[in-house]
């Protein structure tokens, strides 16, 4: 990501001010280190025959708690997680939310973002944006193959 940011200086994904850059990197790190880890744990529990129900329940609770943390860092305005510009945080958050939206309903959560209004609002904006809409379309092809 640092390479891409440096290679294309007119379309930087790491904000130019130290505070904004730190916030974007923090949100990306929280998503990467905490939220995605829990999502991956659920991927291993997809098969109902071998599913550890206690682990699934614990992991779903963990994801909800981590969504609360992520939500506290999402900007109140703008179309992107950190405000009006697409940043490194969106590079991490969009795929995590995408896979949550596909995976969690298989565990009985019809709307994974129902209790997280800020994230739901952000997710709905992502689904309409041409850039992320196209990325999600491509990710959906891969996800359908993988989820079989």
């Amino acid at each position: 990501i640092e390479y891409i940011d440096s290679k294309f200086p007119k379309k930087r994904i790491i904000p130019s001010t130290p505070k904004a850059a730190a916030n974007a990197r923090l949100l990306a790190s929280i998503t990467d280190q905490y939220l995605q880890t829990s999502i991956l744990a659920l991927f291993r529990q997809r098969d109902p025959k071998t599913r550890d129900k206690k682990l699934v329940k614990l992991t779903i609770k963990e994801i909800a708690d981590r969504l609360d943390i992520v939500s506290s860092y999402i900007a109140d305005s703008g179309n992107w997680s950190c405000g009006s510009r697409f940043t490194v945080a969106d590079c991490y958050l969009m795929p995590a939310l995408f896979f949550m939206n596909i995976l969690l309903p298989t565990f009985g959560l019809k709307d994974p973002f129902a209790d997280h209004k800020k994230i739901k609002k952000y997710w709905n904006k992502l689904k309409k944006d041409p850039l992320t809409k196209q990325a999600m379309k491509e990710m959906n092809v891969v996800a359908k193959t993988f989820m079989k």
Side-chain angles (χ1 to χ4, degrees):
I1 288 186
E2 299 286 336
Y3 171 79
I4 292 170
D5 194 59
S6 298
K7 185 76 175 163
F8 301 99
K10 290 183 181 179
K11 300 240 180 199
R12 298 199 72 132
I13 57 174
I14 298 174
S16 58
T17 67
K19 184 176 181 179
N23 189 51
R25 283 186 173 114
L26 178 61
L27 185 49
S29 292
I30 290 168
T31 301
D32 182 40
Q33 298 297 314
Y34 299 103
L35 188 57
Q36 288 180 357
T37 304
S38 297
I39 295 166
L40 287 174
L42 280 184
F43 264 107
R44 295 181 198 104
Q45 299 294 321
R46 288 189 331 266
D47 185 354
K49 294 176 188 170
T50 59
R51 184 175 294 166
D52 180 338
K53 291 178 184 175
K54 187 176 178 182
L55 178 65
V56 167
K57 186 176 179 178
L58 179 69
T59 304
I60 289 173
K61 168 74 169 102
E62 196 173 75
I63 288 172
D65 292 344
R66 291 171 179 184
L67 283 175
D68 287 340
I69 294 167
V70 167
S71 186
S72 72
Y73 287 97
I74 291 180
D76 291 324
S77 62
N79 289 337
W80 303 105
S81 62
C82 293
S84 62
R85 290 185 52 235
F86 183 87
T87 69
V88 65
D90 301 296
C91 292
Y92 284 86
L93 195 51
M94 188 274 290
L97 297 180
F98 173 84
F99 284 107
M100 282 181 61
N101 194 54
I102 288 175
L103 183 63
L104 290 179
T106 66
F107 294 96
L109 290 172
K110 303 244 186 271
D111 183 358
F113 313 126
D115 296 333
H116 308 278
K117 291 178 183 178
K118 246 181 165 178
I119 290 176
K120 187 170 184 131
K121 182 179 176 184
Y122 170 68
W123 174 245
N124 287 332
K125 288 178 183 179
L126 288 176
K127 291 190 302 185
K128 294 175 186 171
D129 182 82
L131 173 71
T132 50
K133 186 177 182 179
Q134 179 61 34
M136 284 189 255
K137 183 179 177 183
E138 293 170 16
M139 288 169 39
N140 201 38
V141 172
V142 174
K144 283 182 180 178
T145 302
F146 185 72
M147 294 293 283
K148 287 182 180 179

